[in-house]
């Protein structure tokens, strides 16, 4: 009777150990699958979020050189019409993130800075120059530099950068939905993200 009881206990212990090992393997398998899924989703997310804008500007360029004092000068001038396409983009392939399987956490360490690209198209009108002060390559470089600086000021006061950030937050919200559906946590920097509203305060 005792031998039969011992045998039953050994069999039950073996079954429990087997089940425990099976559950552990299943748990690890699920964690690895979830981790791979998260990494794949981040890799598949849009590589580039782009907001485009169009700016037009009329720029008057003038340069004078004194020849024999301030009474006699050699002048050159140009009227420049600029039409520029501007893009503000985030390269999401540069997101720095870590997947913590043990704590079921997707940790986004940092996101890239926005990239601003200005593609101006210059049209020159009323270009005049004195013989002793001709237009040179340096003048065109100066015009381009001044126009780009002026356009950058307009971009800073426009809605382009805020629109691009909204597009970025839209992409990051996909990570929140994904982690939340798998009962994982999303952390940005050192701040846990518990709802969509907390995504809005990301700098």
């Amino acid at each position: 009777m005792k031998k039969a009881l011992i045998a039953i206990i050994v069999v039950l212990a073996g079954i429990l150990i087997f089940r425990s090992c099976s559950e552990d393997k299943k748990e690890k398998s699920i964690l690895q699958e979830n981790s791979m899924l998260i990494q794949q989703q981040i890799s598949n997310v849009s590589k580039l979020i782009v907001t485009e804008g169009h700016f037009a500007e009329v720029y008057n360029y003038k340069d004078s050189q004194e020849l024999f004092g301030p009474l006699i000068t050699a002048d050159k001038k140009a009227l420049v019409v600029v039409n520029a396409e501007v893009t503000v983009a985030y390269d999401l392939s540069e997101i720095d993130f870590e997947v913590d399987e043990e704590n079921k956490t997707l940790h986004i360490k940092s996101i890239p800075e926005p990239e601003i690209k200005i593609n101006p198209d210059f049209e020159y009108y009323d270009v005049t120059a004195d013989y002793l002060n001709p237009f040179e390559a340096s003048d065109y470089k100066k015009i381009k530099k001044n126009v780009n600086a002026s356009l950058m000021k307009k971009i800073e006061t426009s809605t382009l950068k805020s629109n691009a950030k909204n597009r970025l937050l839209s992409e990051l919200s996909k990570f929140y939905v994904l982690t939340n559906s798998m009962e994982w946590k999303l952390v940005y920097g050192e701040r846990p993200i518990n709802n969509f509203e907390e995504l809005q305060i990301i700098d």
Side-chain angles (χ1 to χ4, degrees):
M1 185 68 179
K2 287 184 179 180
K3 290 183 178 180
L5 185 60
I6 293 172
I8 292 171
I9 292 173
V10 170
V11 171
L12 290 174
I15 292 173
L16 290 173
I17 293 171
F18 176 77
R19 285 184 177 178
S20 177
C21 292
S22 298
E23 289 296 327
D24 287 343
K25 288 182 179 179
K26 185 178 180 181
E27 180 83 15
K28 289 180 180 179
S29 177
I30 291 173
L31 281 172
Q32 290 176 353
E33 287 177 5
N34 288 344
S35 175
M36 291 176 62
L37 175 61
I38 289 173
Q39 294 186 56
Q40 183 179 0
Q41 290 297 319
I42 293 177
S43 298
N44 290 341
V45 79
S46 303
K47 289 292 183 182
L48 205 63
I49 302 175
V50 180
T51 299
E52 294 183 338
H54 178 81
F55 291 84
E57 182 167 327
V58 178
Y59 177 73
N60 284 295
Y61 177 75
K62 186 176 181 180
D63 178 81
S64 297
Q65 288 187 3
E66 295 181 356
L67 299 179
F68 304 101
L71 297 178
I72 301 176
T73 60
D75 301 323
K76 56 185 170 184
K77 64 179 182 177
L79 178 67
V80 186
V81 176
V82 184
N83 288 288
E85 294 293 335
V86 179
T87 62
V88 182
Y90 290 91
D91 187 351
L92 296 186
S93 65
E94 295 183 2
I95 289 179
D96 184 11
F97 70 94
E98 180 183 359
V99 177
D100 184 353
E101 293 181 6
E102 183 178 352
N103 296 306
K104 295 184 178 181
T105 301
L106 169 59
H107 188 180
I108 298 178
K109 297 180 179 179
S110 65
I111 55 178
E113 291 294 320
E115 301 172 358
I116 300 175
K117 293 185 179 180
I118 303 174
N119 299 301
D121 179 34
F122 296 87
E123 294 183 15
Y124 292 85
Y125 298 92
D126 192 26
V127 178
T128 58
D130 291 337
Y131 177 76
L132 296 177
N133 188 17
F135 259 88
E136 298 177 348
S138 59
D139 292 297
Y140 294 102
K141 289 181 180 178
K142 188 183 295 183
I143 290 171
K144 184 177 181 180
K145 180 180 179 181
N146 291 343
V147 167
N148 282 343
S150 177
L151 288 173
M152 188 61 72
K153 289 181 180 179
K154 288 186 176 181
I155 293 167
E156 292 294 335
T157 58
S158 73
T159 60
L160 274 183
K161 292 180 74 173
S162 61
N163 288 344
K165 184 177 179 181
N166 289 336
R167 293 282 301 278
L168 171 67
L169 294 177
S170 176
E171 293 296 330
L172 293 181
S173 67
K174 296 177 182 178
F175 301 155
Y176 172 74
V177 171
L178 178 64
T179 53
N180 192 50
S181 66
M182 297 189 306
E183 298 183 350
W184 280 48
K185 292 180 292 185
L186 175 63
V187 176
Y188 176 74
E190 300 298 328
R191 184 170 60 243
I193 304 299
N194 300 308
N195 51 58
F196 288 113
E197 286 71 23
E198 291 182 356
L199 283 172
Q200 305 300 315
I201 59 176
I202 287 180
D203 297 326

